[in-house]
């Protein structure tokens, strides 16, 4: 049996119930939780009580005014001298916008991969430290290097026939980061068989929500 001996007035903004409704019985709180999420939420409470660990989880509610919302709860179990959990001190937050942004970013990444996985051109993405965060299958085929060997590494951290050209390449990538403008990069070297290799690359900046190159 769960009760809320104390709840701040903002519980209505977050959860859609008034503090006076949950003092004696938290049932009104659970009624707003979507039925699909209710079992996992109750299990989280039970696990916290049994293992004496911090309760932290997300779940969805149906707010009477705002509609479907995501709520994040983080609570610390309170213990009696005999080690039995008697309740929790915790906080609830509306994290709907953050969850929607996560879903939007996930869809964006899925769309990106769907676009470039089968592309006839080599595609590579870098972070601001010039570490590779993605290479497509064509990049692996052309360079004859598996993605696992280069992800998380900058060009200058990869050995091989192209290593001598890494500083020049990185300098041009840094120019894109600094100016926020695309750059056409031309490089040439000889492969392991001594045959000339010519690369024409177009480096295009990606911007975050603040307009900074990411």
């Amino acid at each position: 049996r769960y009760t809320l001996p104390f709840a701040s007035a903002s519980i209505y903004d977050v959860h859609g119930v008034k503090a006076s409704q949950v003092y004696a019985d938290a049932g009104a709180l659970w009624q707003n939780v979507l039925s699909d999420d209710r079992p996992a939420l109750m299990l989280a409470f039970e696990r916290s009580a049994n293992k004496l660990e911090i309760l932290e989880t997300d779940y969805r509610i149906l707010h009477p005014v705002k509609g479907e919302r995501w709520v994040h709860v983080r609570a610390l179990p309170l213990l009696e001298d005999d080690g039995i959990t008697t309740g929790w001190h915790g906080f609830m937050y509306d994290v709907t916008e953050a969850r929607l942004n996560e879903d939007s970013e996930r869809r964006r990444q899925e769309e990106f991969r769907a676009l470039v996985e089968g592309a006839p051109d080599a595609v590579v993405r870098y972070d601001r430290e010039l570490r590779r965060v993605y290479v497509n299958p064509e990049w692996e085929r052309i360079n004859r290097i598996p993605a696992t060997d280069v992800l998380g590494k900058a060009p200058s951290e990869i050995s091989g026939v192209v290593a001598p050209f890494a500083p020049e390449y990185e300098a041009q990538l840094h120019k894109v980061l600094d100016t926020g403008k695309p750059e056409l990069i031309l490089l040439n070297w000889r492969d392991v068989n001594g045959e000339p290799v010519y690369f024409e690359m177009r480096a295009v900046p990606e911007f975050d929500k603040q307009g900074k190159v990411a």
Side-chain angles (χ1 to χ4, degrees):
R1 180 170 173 270
Y2 293 94
T3 65
L4 269 71
F6 171 80
S8 64
S10 60
I11 192 172
Y12 182 79
D13 293 330
V14 174
H15 224 282
V17 295
K18 296 180 179 179
S20 58
Q21 293 176 266
V22 295
Y23 285 152
D25 187 351
L29 200 68
W30 311 131
Q31 288 175 9
N32 282 8
V33 179
L34 296 193
S35 58
D36 287 348
D37 292 5
R38 201 172 297 162
L41 177 60
M42 300 307 296
L43 183 62
F45 270 97
E46 293 177 10
R47 183 168 57 247
S48 175
N50 293 332
K51 295 187 176 183
L52 308 181
E53 63 185 21
I54 292 176
L55 165 67
E56 187 163 21
T57 188
D58 290 355
Y59 58 93
R60 294 168 298 167
I61 67 165
L62 188 60
H63 195 285
V65 177
K66 302 177 182 179
E68 185 175 311
R69 308 294 291 178
W70 277 97
V71 175
H72 177 82
V73 59
R74 178 179 172 84
L76 180 69
L78 304 175
L79 306 178
E80 293 287 355
D81 293 337
D82 56 5
I84 301 299
T85 304
T86 59
W88 291 263
H89 275 159
F91 301 88
M92 293 176 177
Y93 306 93
D94 186 325
V95 293
T96 305
E97 299 306 320
R99 290 298 296 249
L100 291 178
N101 288 339
E102 288 177 6
D103 291 342
S104 177
E105 176 63 18
R106 189 178 301 110
R107 286 195 298 271
R108 192 173 74 87
Q109 294 295 339
E110 290 173 353
E111 290 170 356
F112 169 81
R113 289 180 179 274
L115 181 66
V116 303
E117 286 291 310
D121 298 317
V123 179
V124 56
R125 300 176 87 184
Y126 296 94
D127 63 14
R128 287 199 58 85
E129 282 68 47
L130 301 187
R131 295 176 299 225
R132 292 181 179 88
V133 296
Y134 172 80
V135 297
N136 73 338
E138 185 63 11
W139 188 96
E140 293 181 272
R141 188 192 69 79
I142 290 176
N143 290 278
R144 299 177 184 176
I145 305 174
T148 52
D149 289 353
V150 298
L151 292 180
K153 298 179 181 178
S156 58
E157 297 177 307
I158 307 299
S159 61
V161 294
V162 299
F165 302 92
E168 177 187 350
Y169 181 40
E170 289 186 351
Q172 292 176 293
L173 291 177
H174 274 298
K175 183 178 179 180
V176 177
L177 289 173
D178 295 338
T179 65
K181 297 180 180 180
E183 191 76 18
L184 185 64
I185 301 174
L186 302 174
L187 293 176
N188 65 85
W189 61 84
R190 293 188 179 275
D191 63 16
V192 292
N193 298 318
E195 297 295 324
V197 178
Y198 299 91
F199 262 77
E200 176 182 292
M201 294 160 283
R202 184 170 177 80
V204 180
E206 292 186 39
F207 298 92
D208 60 21
K209 292 184 178 180
Q210 287 72 43
K212 297 180 180 180
V213 180

